[in-house]
Amino acid sequence: MRKSLILASALLMLGGMASCSDDDKAPEAVETTTGFYTINGGNKKSKVPASITAYDYATGRETQDAFYAKNQVRIGDGAQKAIIYGSKMYIAMYTSNVIWVVEPETLGIIKSIQPTGEATLPRALAAKNGKVYVSMYTGYVACVDTASLTIEKNIKVGPNPDQIAIAGDDLIVANSDGQNSKGGASDGVKYGNSSISIVNLSAWTQTEIKDIDRVLNPTDAASNGEEAFVICKGNYEDQPSVVKKVVGNDVKEVCKGTLMACQGDELYVINAPYSKTATPDKYTYQVYSTKDLKLKKEKFLQMSPDNDSWILSPNCVAVDPVSRDIIVLSYVLDGSGTAQYALPMYGNIYDKDGAFKKRFECGAGGRAITFIPKRMNQ
C-alpha cells in the first residue's frame, strides 16, 4: 500500500510537467542508433520491481534501473513496452495504469498520463502522424496526441488487446482474450473470443477477424510499415504458437513461432515452445521474406552451448534498424533447466550475419527492446 501511495503522489506531482510546443508530426530520419533500452516487467509475485536497463553502444556497458537512477522515482509495476517517437519516449505500464512520457536519451520525466474510465491498463504502443496509439487491456485502443500529451479518444476493439502494429493506414491489434484462459467464455473454449482488430486510423473505425480456428490467442504484432504479422499463441496444449501474416481481412500462416521481429523485408522468427523444462537445443531461429513468406535463412544465429553465445530460454528478439545487429533476451535456468522468472535476465548481441558479439545483463522480466536513435539535426 505504501508503495502504491508513493507512486500515486509522484504521478500527481509530475502530471503537469509537459510542453505542448512539440507536436512530433514529422520525426527526422534516423542517422544511427546509440544503444537501446530493455523494458523489464519485473516479477510482482516475488516482489521484484519493474525497471529499464540502458545499453550504450559507445561504452559497451549497461546501466541497470536507469529510470530510477535519473528520476529518483520508481517506474511502477508491469512495464510492458516503450517506443521513441519524435522527441519523446512513451512507456506503457500495465499494472500501474500509467503511460510515462520521458526524454529519450536520459529518461528524464516529461509527463505521466493516467488513463481513466473504461479504457485502462496500457499494454503496447505504436505511432504515426503525430499520434501515439496504445492498446488498453480492458478492450480499447487509445489515441494520444503528442502535442498536448493527452488521450484524445478511444475505440473499442476485441477482448484483452495485447501488441499492436501499424501497416499503411491500419492499426493491427492482437486481441488475446487472455483473461479467458480457463475456458470461461460462453462457449467454454479457452481464448474463445480471440480476434484481430483492424483499426483504420483515418476513419477511426474497426473490423475484426474473429474465427478462432485462424486467430486463437493472438498476443504479438509486428510490421515493417506496409505488412503486418501476428503471433497466435494457441492454447499452450495441443494447438501450437503460429506466426501469421495479416492480408486484408484475413490471415495467412507463415510458420510455427513464439517470438518475432520485423525489419525491412525480413521477418525474424524464434520458435521456443513453452515447457516446464527448457530445451534450447530444439529451438529454431529462422528468417522469412515478408513478401512471399519463403524461408530465407534456416538459422540466423551462430550459437554454441560451450560459450556465452548460447540462448537458454528466449523471451524477446529485436533487430537494430540501422546496423541490423540482433539482440535476444533470455531467462537464466536453474539446475533442473527451469526458467527463473524472478532473477535478472541476460541479453546477447549478434551482428547482422548472426556472429556473437557480446553478452550483457538486464532486469527481471525483460520483454521488449527500444532502440535509441541519433537524429540528423542533433
Side-chain angles (χ1 to χ4, degrees):
M1 178 66 71
R2 177 176 171 82
K3 180 179 179 182
S4 299
L5 290 172
I6 292 172
L7 175 61
S9 299
L11 296 177
L12 289 172
M13 288 188 292
L14 296 163
M17 296 171 58
S19 169
C20 298
S21 62
D22 183 0
D23 63 9
D24 287 343
K25 288 184 179 179
E28 301 87 348
V30 175
E31 183 179 13
T32 187
T33 47
T34 61
F36 56 83
Y37 298 115
T38 71
I39 312 304
N40 313 313
N43 188 285
K44 191 174 181 181
K45 182 178 180 180
S46 298
K47 298 182 180 180
V48 178
S51 67
I52 290 181
T53 300
Y55 187 89
D56 181 21
Y57 284 154
T59 64
R61 296 178 180 175
E62 64 269 31
T63 301
Q64 305 298 339
D65 212 357
F67 182 94
Y68 181 78
K70 173 62 180 178
N71 300 294
Q72 297 301 297
V73 171
R74 290 294 176 190
I75 196 170
D77 294 321
Q80 294 290 317
K81 197 167 185 179
I83 60 168
I84 294 174
Y85 181 63
S87 62
K88 303 179 185 74
M89 177 172 166
Y90 303 79
I91 309 166
M93 302 295 300
Y94 170 71
T95 309
S96 294
N97 189 39
V98 173
I99 304 165
W100 288 109
V101 186
V102 302
E103 200 284 324
E105 291 189 341
T106 68
L107 299 180
I109 294 171
I110 298 172
K111 186 180 181 182
S112 65
I113 303 170
Q114 195 147 27
T116 58
E118 295 183 341
T120 58
L121 306 182
R123 197 80 173 180
L125 313 99
K128 187 173 183 178
N129 294 337
K131 310 295 181 183
V132 171
Y133 300 95
V134 188
S135 59
M136 299 291 184
Y137 208 61
T138 51
Y140 292 82
V141 168
C143 175
V144 176
D145 178 68
T146 59
S148 63
L149 296 180
T150 58
I151 295 175
E152 285 189 328
K153 55 187 177 181
N154 300 301
I155 187 169
K156 189 166 180 58
V157 290
N160 310 132
D162 206 319
Q163 300 302 301
I164 58 179
I166 294 176
D169 198 34
D170 291 330
L171 180 73
I172 309 302
V173 186
N175 301 313
S176 68
D177 195 24
Q179 292 183 334
N180 178 26
S181 63
K182 305 295 184 182
S186 58
D187 56 10
V189 177
K190 283 185 178 182
Y191 316 111
N193 297 314
S194 300
S195 68
I196 295 172
S197 286
I198 303 172
V199 178
N200 182 273
L201 297 179
S202 296
W204 201 236
T205 57
Q206 73 104 25
T207 57
E208 277 187 86
I209 305 172
K210 293 185 177 181
D211 185 353
I212 63 169
D213 291 332
R214 293 178 293 158
V215 292
L216 181 63
N217 188 18
T219 60
D220 201 1
S223 173
N224 59 8
E226 298 177 357
E227 299 151 310
F229 299 83
V230 296
I231 293 181
C232 298
K233 285 292 181 67
N235 59 9
Y236 305 101
E237 295 171 357
D238 59 331
Q239 293 176 281
S241 182
V242 179
V243 179
K244 300 192 176 186
K245 182 177 181 178
V246 179
V247 183
N249 289 323
D250 203 352
V251 290
K252 185 174 182 179
E253 185 169 327
V254 181
C255 61
K256 292 180 181 178
T258 56
L259 299 167
M260 66 178 172
C262 190
Q263 196 59 248
D265 61 357
E266 295 185 323
L267 182 69
Y268 297 73
V269 179
I270 299 176
N271 190 36
Y274 172 78
S275 62
K276 187 174 181 180
T277 303
T279 55
D281 57 322
K282 296 181 180 179
Y283 302 154
T284 60
Y285 298 79
Q286 298 174 317
V287 178
Y288 288 82
S289 165
T290 60
K291 300 293 184 184
D292 58 21
L293 307 184
K294 291 182 178 180
L295 181 64
K296 296 180 66 174
K297 189 176 291 188
E298 183 65 42
K299 189 175 182 180
F300 65 76
L301 296 182
Q302 301 170 30
M303 297 188 295
S304 170
D306 298 326
N307 55 51
D308 280 351
S309 67
W310 194 237
I311 298 294
L312 294 171
S313 181
N315 195 49
C316 173
V317 58
V319 181
D320 188 299
V322 180
S323 69
R324 295 298 180 99
D325 278 1
I326 304 161
I327 295 96
V328 180
L329 304 184
S330 173
Y331 294 108
V332 297
L333 307 180
D334 66 9
S336 67
T338 303
Q340 299 300 289
Y341 302 119
L343 294 182
M345 295 173 62
Y346 69 89
N348 278 1
I349 304 174
Y350 305 82
D351 69 17
K352 61 184 178 61
D353 297 316
F356 176 70
K357 296 175 69 174
K358 188 172 182 181
R359 173 171 289 195
F360 65 93
E361 184 178 290
C362 67
R367 59 182 46 152
I369 290 173
T370 303
F371 292 98
I372 307 167
K374 179 180 180 182
R375 304 193 185 281
M376 294 180 68
N377 66 343
Q378 292 183 336

